[in-house]
Amino acid sequence: MIDDTFVTPLAADLIAVGVGSLQGALFAAGFKRIDLLGVAIVGIASGIGGGFLRDILLGVTPAAFSNNSYLITATLAAFVGMAVPRLFRKIDPVISLLDAVSIGMFGAIGTTKALSMGLPVIPAMFVGTVSAVGGGVLRDMILNIPIALMHVGSLYALASMGGIVVLLGMLAFDLPVIAAGIVCVGVTTVLRLLAVRFGWSLPEQRALSRIRLRKQRQVEEIIEEALHTGVIT
């Protein structure tokens, strides 16, 4: 599907790191009692977290530790993120857009890198999804808030998976990797933003339990009524 000589363009990887760090810093800047160093740390962790998890799963040295450009890019983007909030009246839409683009880019890069290393399609999809959400998970853990991936809310991992499925479909038809990656980012971004706009989410586990309990009670009532009326004995 992808030639084993394929190498992810450094520029694409650095753009993903920069967008992730910028988004993480913007997000952290909205919290009270977090100093500038804390905002910078959250931003840097958001930028390199997804790629770090990706490379660990693939059994290679994390890219952030093999090239100075990654940490420099993450740091500069985090510092920019500290100043940007002053330029916007409403920062939430900007954060949502950057978050959507970030998970799209990391999903595409993670999947293509896994495929180029010989992984089958399903494991490659898993690596791509983990890479996409890794930065956000690390960000939420550092800020000690509910992890966006794990609770009911706008589609997060599923938006990334949607883009990855499109990428894999395009690669199956031998379309250019770069073009497939760009489309993947676009699809993921649109899905994520639509989910935020319209509140799309998966059902809550407790909601499913309540539905099952309600159906069980209805069945019990029908059986009880049938016993009283003599329909069944």
Side-chain angles (χ1 to χ4, degrees):
M1 185 173 286
I2 292 183
D3 192 278
D4 57 7
T5 60
F6 174 79
V7 177
T8 302
L10 178 61
D13 222 359
L14 292 180
I15 291 173
V17 169
V19 172
S21 295
L22 179 60
Q23 182 271 337
L26 284 171
F27 187 85
F31 285 76
K32 297 180 179 179
R33 302 185 64 82
I34 297 182
D35 59 18
L36 294 180
L37 178 60
V39 173
I41 290 174
V42 173
I44 294 170
S46 300
I48 67 174
F52 190 84
L53 290 176
R54 172 200 68 207
D55 292 339
I56 288 179
L57 289 174
L58 294 175
V60 299
T61 302
F65 295 163
S66 61
N67 189 319
N68 293 328
S69 302
Y70 287 87
L71 287 174
I72 292 174
T73 300
T75 303
L76 292 176
F79 283 137
V80 171
M82 297 178 189
V84 168
R86 301 176 184 178
L87 305 178
F88 295 91
R89 290 185 178 181
K90 294 182 179 181
I91 199 65
D92 287 348
V94 178
I95 294 175
S96 295
L97 175 60
L98 292 174
D99 189 35
V101 173
S102 176
I103 63 176
M105 294 193 70
F106 277 109
I109 293 171
T111 303
T112 53
K113 186 170 184 177
L115 290 172
S116 69
M117 295 183 67
L119 268 67
V121 170
I122 300 302
M125 181 185 296
F126 175 77
V127 171
T129 303
V130 171
S131 178
V133 303
V137 170
L138 192 56
R139 174 201 67 200
D140 296 344
M141 290 177 63
I142 294 175
L143 291 172
N144 195 29
I145 61 175
I147 298 174
L149 175 67
M150 304 300 292
H151 66 87
V152 174
S154 301
L155 302 180
Y156 200 70
L158 282 182
S160 172
M161 292 178 67
I164 291 172
V165 168
V166 173
L167 178 144
L168 293 171
M170 294 181 66
L171 293 178
F173 287 98
D174 293 325
L175 295 174
V177 178
I178 301 300
I182 293 173
V183 173
C184 171
V185 175
V187 171
T188 300
T189 300
V190 170
L191 287 176
R192 172 66 176 157
L193 293 179
L194 287 176
V196 172
R197 173 65 179 82
F198 296 105
W200 296 344
S201 65
L202 291 176
E204 185 179 0
Q205 175 59 36
R206 286 180 296 178
L208 293 176
S209 298
R210 287 194 293 267
I211 292 174
R212 287 196 296 267
L213 182 59
R214 189 181 307 118
K215 289 183 177 179
Q216 181 180 349
R217 289 176 176 172
Q218 290 175 347
V219 172
E220 291 175 349
E221 290 175 357
I222 292 173
I223 294 175
E224 185 176 356
E225 182 179 355
L227 286 172
H228 285 304
T229 56
V231 175
I232 60 176
T233 57

